[in-house]
C-alpha cells in the first residue's frame, strides 16, 4: 500500500527516473532521482548540467549531486526516447563552454568549480 495521498505533490513516483531540474539560478540539471526528504532536498545520480546556446547544447558531467529543496524551481521526468532522438544539436563539452562564454556567459558553469559536499558529492 502506498504511503502517500494520490493527487498530492509527491516525489515517490519519480524515484529512479531521469529528471530535469531547473534551479533558481537558471541552471538545468539532469540526473536520476535516488532520494529526497520532507524538505524536497534531492539526490541525483549521474547528474549533468545542460547548457544550451542557440540550437546547440552540451552536457557537463557532475556525478552525484545533492540539491537543496529551496533552490528547485521545477522538475519533471525526461522522455528518454525523445532525449536519444534529439542528439542533432549536441556538441562536445569544450565547444559548448566556448559558445557559452562567447554568448555572454560570465564564467564557465558549475563544471569549472563545483562545490563539493561532504562525502565526495557536489551540492547546489
Amino acid at each position: 500500500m502506498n504511503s502517500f495521498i494520490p493527487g498530492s505533490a509527491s516525489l515517490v513516483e519519480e524515484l529512479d527516473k531521469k529528471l530535469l531540474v531547473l534551479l533558481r539560478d537558471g541552471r538545468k540539471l539532469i540526473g536520476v532521482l535516488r532520494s529526497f526528504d520532507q524538505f524536497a532536498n534531492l539526490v541525483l545520480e549521474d547528474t549533468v548540467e545542460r547548457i544550451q546556446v542557440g540550437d546547440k547544447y552540451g552536457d557537463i558531467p557532475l556525478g552525484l549531486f545533492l540539491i537543496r529543496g529551496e533552490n528547485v524551481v521545477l522538475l519533471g521526468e525526461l522522455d528518454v526516447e525523445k532525449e536519444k532522438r534529439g542528439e542533432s544539436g549536441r556538441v562536445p563539452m569544450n565547444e559548448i563552454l566556448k559558445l557559452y562564454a562567447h554568448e555572454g556567459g560570465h564564467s564557465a558553469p558549475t563544471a569549472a568549480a563545483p562545490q563539493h559536499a561532504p562525502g565526495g558529492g557536489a551540492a547546489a
Side-chain angles (χ1 to χ4, degrees), residues 13 22 24 30-32 35 37 47 50 61 65 78 92 95 97-98 111 116 118 122-123:
E13 295 174 338
L22 178 63
R24 283 191 322 186
I30 297 173
V32 178
S35 186
D37 64 12
T47 308
R50 170 78 39 101
F65 219 74
L78 280 183
E95 185 176 335
L97 290 174
K98 286 179 190 173
H116 291 284

PDB file of all heavy atoms in Angstrom, residues 13 22 24 30-32 35 37 47 50 61 65 78 92 95 97-98 111 116 118 122-123:
ATOM      1  N   GLU A  13       6.766   8.813  -6.810  1.00  0.00           N
ATOM      2  CA  GLU A  13       6.579   8.267  -8.154  1.00  0.00           C
ATOM      3  C   GLU A  13       7.748   8.603  -9.087  1.00  0.00           C
ATOM      4  O   GLU A  13       7.877   8.000 -10.148  1.00  0.00           O
ATOM      5  CB  GLU A  13       5.274   8.783  -8.747  1.00  0.00           C
ATOM      6  CG  GLU A  13       4.060   8.296  -7.980  1.00  0.00           C
ATOM      7  CD  GLU A  13       2.770   8.919  -8.476  1.00  0.00           C
ATOM      8  OE1 GLU A  13       2.822  10.000  -9.109  1.00  0.00           O
ATOM      9  OE2 GLU A  13       1.720   8.330  -8.219  1.00  0.00           O
ATOM     10  N   LEU A  22      15.171  22.420 -12.799  1.00  0.00           N
ATOM     11  CA  LEU A  22      15.512  23.812 -13.046  1.00  0.00           C
ATOM     12  C   LEU A  22      15.739  24.473 -11.694  1.00  0.00           C
ATOM     13  O   LEU A  22      14.872  24.416 -10.814  1.00  0.00           O
ATOM     14  CB  LEU A  22      14.395  24.527 -13.805  1.00  0.00           C
ATOM     15  CG  LEU A  22      14.606  26.013 -14.079  1.00  0.00           C
ATOM     16  CD1 LEU A  22      15.815  26.239 -14.976  1.00  0.00           C
ATOM     17  CD2 LEU A  22      13.355  26.612 -14.705  1.00  0.00           C
ATOM     18  N   ARG A  24      16.918  27.848  -9.126  1.00  0.00           N
ATOM     19  CA  ARG A  24      16.645  29.293  -9.022  1.00  0.00           C
ATOM     20  C   ARG A  24      17.642  30.133  -9.799  1.00  0.00           C
ATOM     21  O   ARG A  24      17.309  31.196 -10.315  1.00  0.00           O
ATOM     22  CB  ARG A  24      16.672  29.754  -7.563  1.00  0.00           C
ATOM     23  CG  ARG A  24      15.458  29.395  -6.804  1.00  0.00           C
ATOM     24  CD  ARG A  24      15.371  30.074  -5.475  1.00  0.00           C
ATOM     25  NE  ARG A  24      16.635  30.214  -4.772  1.00  0.00           N
ATOM     26  CZ  ARG A  24      16.744  30.681  -3.548  1.00  0.00           C
ATOM     27  NH1 ARG A  24      15.676  31.053  -2.889  1.00  0.00           N
ATOM     28  NH2 ARG A  24      17.915  30.775  -2.966  1.00  0.00           N
ATOM     29  N   ILE A  30      20.269  17.467 -15.052  1.00  0.00           N
ATOM     30  CA  ILE A  30      19.596  16.238 -15.457  1.00  0.00           C
ATOM     31  C   ILE A  30      20.273  15.090 -14.728  1.00  0.00           C
ATOM     32  O   ILE A  30      21.499  14.983 -14.735  1.00  0.00           O
ATOM     33  CB  ILE A  30      19.694  16.036 -16.982  1.00  0.00           C
ATOM     34  CG1 ILE A  30      18.981  17.178 -17.701  1.00  0.00           C
ATOM     35  CG2 ILE A  30      19.132  14.676 -17.380  1.00  0.00           C
ATOM     36  CD1 ILE A  30      19.166  17.171 -19.203  1.00  0.00           C
ATOM     37  N   GLY A  31      19.467  14.258 -14.088  1.00  0.00           N
ATOM     38  CA  GLY A  31      20.017  13.110 -13.375  1.00  0.00           C
ATOM     39  C   GLY A  31      18.914  12.179 -12.919  1.00  0.00           C
ATOM     40  O   GLY A  31      17.726  12.477 -13.047  1.00  0.00           O
ATOM     41  N   VAL A  32      19.311  11.051 -12.361  1.00  0.00           N
ATOM     42  CA  VAL A  32      18.371  10.045 -11.872  1.00  0.00           C
ATOM     43  C   VAL A  32      18.097  10.324 -10.397  1.00  0.00           C
ATOM     44  O   VAL A  32      19.024  10.377  -9.591  1.00  0.00           O
ATOM     45  CB  VAL A  32      18.943   8.623 -12.069  1.00  0.00           C
ATOM     46  CG1 VAL A  32      17.991   7.580 -11.512  1.00  0.00           C
ATOM     47  CG2 VAL A  32      19.242   8.362 -13.543  1.00  0.00           C
ATOM     48  N   SER A  35      16.982   9.875  -4.118  1.00  0.00           N
ATOM     49  CA  SER A  35      16.426  10.084  -2.792  1.00  0.00           C
ATOM     50  C   SER A  35      15.914  11.509  -2.666  1.00  0.00           C
ATOM     51  O   SER A  35      16.297  12.397  -3.424  1.00  0.00           O
ATOM     52  CB  SER A  35      17.494   9.814  -1.727  1.00  0.00           C
ATOM     53  OG  SER A  35      16.944   9.870  -0.436  1.00  0.00           O
ATOM     54  N   ASP A  37      13.822  14.177   0.681  1.00  0.00           N
ATOM     55  CA  ASP A  37      13.332  14.227   2.056  1.00  0.00           C
ATOM     56  C   ASP A  37      12.138  15.169   2.155  1.00  0.00           C
ATOM     57  O   ASP A  37      11.644  15.666   1.135  1.00  0.00           O
ATOM     58  CB  ASP A  37      14.447  14.609   3.037  1.00  0.00           C
ATOM     59  CG  ASP A  37      14.995  16.011   2.821  1.00  0.00           C
ATOM     60  OD1 ASP A  37      14.381  16.810   2.072  1.00  0.00           O
ATOM     61  OD2 ASP A  37      16.041  16.320   3.416  1.00  0.00           O
ATOM     62  N   THR A  47      24.479  12.942 -12.647  1.00  0.00           N
ATOM     63  CA  THR A  47      23.984  14.274 -12.971  1.00  0.00           C
ATOM     64  C   THR A  47      24.862  14.963 -14.003  1.00  0.00           C
ATOM     65  O   THR A  47      26.085  14.842 -13.980  1.00  0.00           O
ATOM     66  CB  THR A  47      23.941  15.138 -11.692  1.00  0.00           C
ATOM     67  OG1 THR A  47      23.222  14.427 -10.692  1.00  0.00           O
ATOM     68  CG2 THR A  47      23.280  16.475 -11.946  1.00  0.00           C
ATOM     69  N   ARG A  50      23.019  20.813 -18.179  1.00  0.00           N
ATOM     70  CA  ARG A  50      22.706  21.031 -19.593  1.00  0.00           C
ATOM     71  C   ARG A  50      22.862  22.514 -19.894  1.00  0.00           C
ATOM     72  O   ARG A  50      22.219  23.365 -19.285  1.00  0.00           O
ATOM     73  CB  ARG A  50      21.274  20.576 -19.860  1.00  0.00           C
ATOM     74  CG  ARG A  50      20.668  20.919 -21.194  1.00  0.00           C
ATOM     75  CD  ARG A  50      21.075  20.069 -22.383  1.00  0.00           C
ATOM     76  NE  ARG A  50      21.252  18.661 -22.224  1.00  0.00           N
ATOM     77  CZ  ARG A  50      20.380  17.717 -22.566  1.00  0.00           C
ATOM     78  NH1 ARG A  50      19.210  18.032 -23.053  1.00  0.00           N
ATOM     79  NH2 ARG A  50      20.690  16.444 -22.424  1.00  0.00           N
ATOM     80  N   PRO A  61      29.367  16.802 -17.151  1.00  0.00           N
ATOM     81  CA  PRO A  61      29.160  15.769 -16.122  1.00  0.00           C
ATOM     82  C   PRO A  61      29.497  16.292 -14.725  1.00  0.00           C
ATOM     83  O   PRO A  61      30.511  16.947 -14.523  1.00  0.00           O
ATOM     84  CB  PRO A  61      30.110  14.644 -16.537  1.00  0.00           C
ATOM     85  CG  PRO A  61      31.074  15.253 -17.486  1.00  0.00           C
ATOM     86  CD  PRO A  61      30.465  16.492 -18.059  1.00  0.00           C
ATOM     87  N   PHE A  65      24.855  14.408  -7.032  1.00  0.00           N
ATOM     88  CA  PHE A  65      24.565  15.798  -6.730  1.00  0.00           C
ATOM     89  C   PHE A  65      23.462  15.899  -5.701  1.00  0.00           C
ATOM     90  O   PHE A  65      22.420  15.244  -5.818  1.00  0.00           O
ATOM     91  CB  PHE A  65      24.129  16.508  -8.021  1.00  0.00           C
ATOM     92  CG  PHE A  65      24.634  17.902  -8.169  1.00  0.00           C
ATOM     93  CD1 PHE A  65      25.949  18.157  -8.478  1.00  0.00           C
ATOM     94  CD2 PHE A  65      23.784  18.978  -8.005  1.00  0.00           C
ATOM     95  CE1 PHE A  65      26.418  19.453  -8.623  1.00  0.00           C
ATOM     96  CE2 PHE A  65      24.230  20.271  -8.152  1.00  0.00           C
ATOM     97  CZ  PHE A  65      25.555  20.509  -8.459  1.00  0.00           C
ATOM     98  N   LEU A  78      12.155  13.220 -17.755  1.00  0.00           N
ATOM     99  CA  LEU A  78      12.586  13.312 -19.146  1.00  0.00           C
ATOM    100  C   LEU A  78      12.089  12.108 -19.921  1.00  0.00           C
ATOM    101  O   LEU A  78      12.090  10.990 -19.413  1.00  0.00           O
ATOM    102  CB  LEU A  78      14.110  13.334 -19.243  1.00  0.00           C
ATOM    103  CG  LEU A  78      14.822  14.639 -18.978  1.00  0.00           C
ATOM    104  CD1 LEU A  78      16.305  14.466 -19.198  1.00  0.00           C
ATOM    105  CD2 LEU A  78      14.303  15.751 -19.837  1.00  0.00           C
ATOM    106  N   PRO A  92      30.348  18.781 -28.167  1.00  0.00           N
ATOM    107  CA  PRO A  92      31.225  18.395 -27.050  1.00  0.00           C
ATOM    108  C   PRO A  92      31.262  19.471 -25.960  1.00  0.00           C
ATOM    109  O   PRO A  92      31.008  20.654 -26.211  1.00  0.00           O
ATOM    110  CB  PRO A  92      32.597  18.244 -27.701  1.00  0.00           C
ATOM    111  CG  PRO A  92      32.331  18.071 -29.152  1.00  0.00           C
ATOM    112  CD  PRO A  92      31.062  18.814 -29.435  1.00  0.00           C
ATOM    113  N   GLU A  95      33.339  22.672 -26.531  1.00  0.00           N
ATOM    114  CA  GLU A  95      32.749  23.575 -27.519  1.00  0.00           C
ATOM    115  C   GLU A  95      31.571  24.356 -26.919  1.00  0.00           C
ATOM    116  O   GLU A  95      31.441  25.559 -27.146  1.00  0.00           O
ATOM    117  CB  GLU A  95      32.283  22.794 -28.743  1.00  0.00           C
ATOM    118  CG  GLU A  95      31.784  23.692 -29.852  1.00  0.00           C
ATOM    119  CD  GLU A  95      31.407  22.932 -31.115  1.00  0.00           C
ATOM    120  OE1 GLU A  95      31.945  21.831 -31.334  1.00  0.00           O
ATOM    121  OE2 GLU A  95      30.560  23.457 -31.860  1.00  0.00           O
ATOM    122  N   LEU A  97      31.140  25.155 -23.822  1.00  0.00           N
ATOM    123  CA  LEU A  97      31.685  26.131 -22.874  1.00  0.00           C
ATOM    124  C   LEU A  97      32.216  27.364 -23.603  1.00  0.00           C
ATOM    125  O   LEU A  97      32.038  28.493 -23.143  1.00  0.00           O
ATOM    126  CB  LEU A  97      32.768  25.495 -22.003  1.00  0.00           C
ATOM    127  CG  LEU A  97      32.267  24.478 -20.979  1.00  0.00           C
ATOM    128  CD1 LEU A  97      33.439  23.804 -20.274  1.00  0.00           C
ATOM    129  CD2 LEU A  97      31.321  25.116 -19.982  1.00  0.00           C
ATOM    130  N   LYS A  98      32.858  27.160 -24.762  1.00  0.00           N
ATOM    131  CA  LYS A  98      33.336  28.302 -25.565  1.00  0.00           C
ATOM    132  C   LYS A  98      32.155  29.124 -26.071  1.00  0.00           C
ATOM    133  O   LYS A  98      32.175  30.359 -26.013  1.00  0.00           O
ATOM    134  CB  LYS A  98      34.171  27.811 -26.742  1.00  0.00           C
ATOM    135  CG  LYS A  98      35.538  27.316 -26.359  1.00  0.00           C
ATOM    136  CD  LYS A  98      36.285  26.817 -27.585  1.00  0.00           C
ATOM    137  CE  LYS A  98      37.553  26.099 -27.190  1.00  0.00           C
ATOM    138  NZ  LYS A  98      38.206  25.469 -28.351  1.00  0.00           N
ATOM    139  N   ALA A 111      30.712  23.083 -13.839  1.00  0.00           N
ATOM    140  CA  ALA A 111      31.761  22.080 -14.043  1.00  0.00           C
ATOM    141  C   ALA A 111      33.142  22.659 -13.754  1.00  0.00           C
ATOM    142  O   ALA A 111      34.043  21.953 -13.346  1.00  0.00           O
ATOM    143  CB  ALA A 111      31.727  21.539 -15.465  1.00  0.00           C
ATOM    144  N   HIS A 116      31.926  20.957  -3.595  1.00  0.00           N
ATOM    145  CA  HIS A 116      31.856  19.574  -3.155  1.00  0.00           C
ATOM    146  C   HIS A 116      31.273  19.481  -1.762  1.00  0.00           C
ATOM    147  O   HIS A 116      31.661  20.197  -0.859  1.00  0.00           O
ATOM    148  CB  HIS A 116      33.244  18.930  -3.197  1.00  0.00           C
ATOM    149  CG  HIS A 116      33.731  18.747  -4.593  1.00  0.00           C
ATOM    150  ND1 HIS A 116      33.262  17.748  -5.394  1.00  0.00           N
ATOM    151  CD2 HIS A 116      34.601  19.461  -5.340  1.00  0.00           C
ATOM    152  CE1 HIS A 116      33.839  17.845  -6.586  1.00  0.00           C
ATOM    153  NE2 HIS A 116      34.636  18.882  -6.571  1.00  0.00           N
ATOM    154  N   PRO A 118      30.314  17.248   1.707  1.00  0.00           N
ATOM    155  CA  PRO A 118      30.983  16.195   2.469  1.00  0.00           C
ATOM    156  C   PRO A 118      30.588  14.834   1.934  1.00  0.00           C
ATOM    157  O   PRO A 118      29.441  14.615   1.603  1.00  0.00           O
ATOM    158  CB  PRO A 118      30.467  16.398   3.897  1.00  0.00           C
ATOM    159  CG  PRO A 118      30.002  17.824   3.946  1.00  0.00           C
ATOM    160  CD  PRO A 118      29.548  18.145   2.554  1.00  0.00           C
ATOM    161  N   ALA A 122      28.567  16.675  -4.837  1.00  0.00           N
ATOM    162  CA  ALA A 122      28.527  18.117  -5.014  1.00  0.00           C
ATOM    163  C   ALA A 122      27.191  18.624  -4.526  1.00  0.00           C
ATOM    164  O   ALA A 122      26.232  17.872  -4.433  1.00  0.00           O
ATOM    165  CB  ALA A 122      28.745  18.466  -6.483  1.00  0.00           C
ATOM    166  N   ALA A 123      27.115  19.887  -4.218  1.00  0.00           N
ATOM    167  CA  ALA A 123      25.875  20.456  -3.688  1.00  0.00           C
ATOM    168  C   ALA A 123      25.488  21.689  -4.466  1.00  0.00           C
ATOM    169  O   ALA A 123      26.325  22.412  -4.964  1.00  0.00           O
ATOM    170  CB  ALA A 123      26.045  20.803  -2.217  1.00  0.00           C
TER     171      ALA A 123
END
